[in-house]
């Protein structure tokens, strides 16, 4: 039994006219007539009395009406339930710029390999902005700092500790632990990003009564790295963005843990997991572990 034929029957009963029912269904009048006749043949009864252009529901039609109504309602309820529980094929992700550029650029192609039917939409912004999008259901998940919020879940995903680095050919010698006063004599390029609390860096110098020799300020990571490549500058940079350079030996970390320890972490943040495949969440965590373990060997 065709649900479209039953629906046509209900519309004709409601409008008491095949012409009006056809308009409401955005169908031609012959199409609705054909559907009614097909349903009548299947049921073996006449559902309407016809008198010229006018139609009225027959006694058999009246008997069938409550069953037809129930069939269509049940179908529509089932369809709605499937739509509500169906796993989405588009994943909306929010992340700060560092995570998007360095981790997601690595991770998304791998997720696509395992889940080829998924499509990804990426939003970048501040932690506050990403949290707002999560709470308003504009995104499924975020890669940001730890946040508090109603029904918000945070899972530790990546270590993004801020490191002080130099080029391997920079003249600064690292035979002993460096002191703040010595650092203050070095030229620095300062990467400014809202995702990190740079007040800790300034406080490190203030405690020693010195000021950092910041010659350049930039909000662009790659610009900061290019200044380091001149072999004249030092810079505090997030670990995610310099993994490749540290692994290759191009950049060298300067140990300042005795002066400053800026532990920054990236959390997988979300409200609901049910909207995405359970295996996808596991893949996110596995990809993050692999990303950290291989030293960014893309």
């Amino acid at each position: 039994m065709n649900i479209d034929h039953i629906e046509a029957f209900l519309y004709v009963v409601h409008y008491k006219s095949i012409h009006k029912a056809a308009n409401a269904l955005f169908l031609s009048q012959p199409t609705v007539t054909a559907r009614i006749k097909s349903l009548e043949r299947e049921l073996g009864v006449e559902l309407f009395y016809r008198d010229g252009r006018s139609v009225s529901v027959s006694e058999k039609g009246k008997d069938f009406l409550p069953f037809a109504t129930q069939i269509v309602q049940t179908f529509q309820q089932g369809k709605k339930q499937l739509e509500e529980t169906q796993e989405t094929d588009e994943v909306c992700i929010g992340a700060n710029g560092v995570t998007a550029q360095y981790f997601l650029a690595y991770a998304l192609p791998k997720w696509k390999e395992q889940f080829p039917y998924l499509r990804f939409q990426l939003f970048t912004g501040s932690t506050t902005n990403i949290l707002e999008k999560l709470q308003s259901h504009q995104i499924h998940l975020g890669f940001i700092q730890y946040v508090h919020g109603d029904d918000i879940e945070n899972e530790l995903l990546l270590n993004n500790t801020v490191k002080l680095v130099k080029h391997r050919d920079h003249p600064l010698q690292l035979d002993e632990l460096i002191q703040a006063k010595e650092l203050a004599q070095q030229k620095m390029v300062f990467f400014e990003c809202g995702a990190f609390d740079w007040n800790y860096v300034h406080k490190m110098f203030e405690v020693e009564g010195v000021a950092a020799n910041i010659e350049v300020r930039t909000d662009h990571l790659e610009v900061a790295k290019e200044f380091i490549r001149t072999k004249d500058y030092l810079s505090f940079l997030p670990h995610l963005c310099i993994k490749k350079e540290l692994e290759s030996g191009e950049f060298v970390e300067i140990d300042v843990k005795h002066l400053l320890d800026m532990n920054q972490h990236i959390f997988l943040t979300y409200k609901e997991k049910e909207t995405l495949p359970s295996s996808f969440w596991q893949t996110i965590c596995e990809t993050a572990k692999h990303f950290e373990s291989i030293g960014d060997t893309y």
Side-chain angles (χ1 to χ4, degrees):
M1 188 172 291
N2 192 309
I3 195 73
D4 292 333
H5 296 174
I6 300 174
E7 186 179 49
F9 164 73
L10 292 176
Y11 270 72
V12 174
V13 170
H14 176 75
Y15 286 103
K16 299 181 177 62
S17 165
I18 292 179
H19 175 70
K20 292 180 180 179
N23 288 338
L25 289 167
F26 298 96
L27 297 171
S28 68
Q29 188 169 331
T31 298
V32 173
T33 299
R35 290 182 178 184
I36 295 299
K37 288 183 178 180
S38 178
L39 182 60
E40 287 178 328
R41 285 195 299 270
E42 189 171 5
L43 294 172
V45 299
E46 193 174 66
L47 296 171
F48 295 97
Y49 299 127
R50 296 167 176 83
D51 184 11
R53 292 187 176 183
S54 65
V55 294
S56 60
V57 64
S58 68
E59 292 303 315
K60 291 295 184 181
K62 291 177 182 178
D63 291 340
F64 181 62
L65 182 58
F67 297 101
T69 302
Q70 185 177 5
I71 289 170
V72 172
Q73 287 179 344
T74 301
F75 173 79
Q76 290 174 343
Q77 289 171 355
K79 184 179 179 181
K80 181 179 179 182
Q81 179 66 25
L82 288 175
E83 289 174 349
E84 290 177 350
T85 58
Q86 185 178 16
E87 292 177 340
T88 181
D89 61 354
E90 181 173 77
V91 183
C92 298
I93 300 172
N96 61 50
V98 172
T99 308
Q101 184 174 355
Y102 295 97
F103 171 63
L104 292 180
Y106 163 84
L108 286 180
K110 298 188 178 299
W111 298 345
K112 188 68 177 177
E113 289 176 4
Q114 296 193 45
F115 303 91
Y117 64 93
L118 288 182
R119 294 175 290 112
F120 298 95
Q121 185 172 9
L122 180 60
F123 299 91
T124 58
S126 65
T127 295
T128 301
N129 181 248
I130 298 303
L131 177 59
E132 290 175 353
K133 288 184 178 294
L134 273 173
Q135 292 175 323
S136 60
H137 300 280
Q138 295 180 57
I139 59 176
H140 294 100
L141 56 105
F143 295 94
I144 51 178
Q145 289 180 294
Y146 184 91
V147 293
H148 294 279
D150 293 339
D151 302 322
I152 294 294
E153 300 291 337
N154 297 272
E155 294 182 16
L156 180 60
L157 193 72
L158 294 166
N159 178 6
N160 198 22
T161 301
V162 175
K163 298 179 180 291
L164 178 62
V165 294
K166 73 179 189 75
H167 191 272
R168 62 189 168 207
D169 295 327
H170 188 284
L172 178 65
Q173 299 300 312
L174 302 176
D175 298 331
E176 300 178 356
L177 291 178
I178 197 166
Q179 301 303 313
K181 291 182 178 180
E182 187 178 359
L183 275 181
Q185 299 173 15
Q186 305 297 322
K187 293 192 295 185
M188 300 190 70
V189 54
F190 207 72
F191 167 64
E192 296 180 314
C193 174
F196 303 98
D197 189 353
W198 297 112
N199 289 327
Y200 288 111
V201 175
H202 292 293
K203 183 64 67 175
M204 177 187 72
F205 290 102
E206 289 178 6
V207 168
E208 296 297 323
V210 294
N213 183 19
I214 300 172
E215 290 197 355
V216 180
R217 295 179 184 271
T218 178
D219 60 357
H220 198 294
L221 278 164
E222 293 303 320
V223 170
K225 290 199 282 187
E226 286 304 312
F227 272 94
I228 295 174
R229 290 187 175 101
T230 66
K231 307 172 187 177
D232 290 328
Y233 291 87
L234 312 180
S235 186
F236 286 95
L237 295 175
H239 184 218
L240 285 184
C241 78
I242 51 174
K243 283 167 62 67
K244 289 173 67 174
E245 290 82 1
L246 289 173
E247 178 73 11
S248 68
E250 180 185 11
F251 289 0
V252 177
E253 179 181 3
I254 301 172
D255 185 4
V256 291
K257 294 184 180 67
H258 57 294
L259 301 174
L260 172 74
D261 194 6
M262 289 180 65
N263 290 317
Q264 301 285 344
H265 299 292
I266 302 299
F267 288 82
L268 172 59
T269 309
Y270 56 89
K271 283 179 70 75
E272 300 173 348
K273 279 190 170 182
E274 291 76 11
T275 54
L276 297 172
S278 58
S279 55
F280 177 67
W281 296 96
Q282 182 179 352
T283 298
I284 292 176
C285 297
E286 291 174 351
T287 305
K289 289 179 181 178
H290 191 248
F291 175 73
E292 291 193 318
S293 67
I294 62 175
D296 233 12
T297 305
Y298 290 43

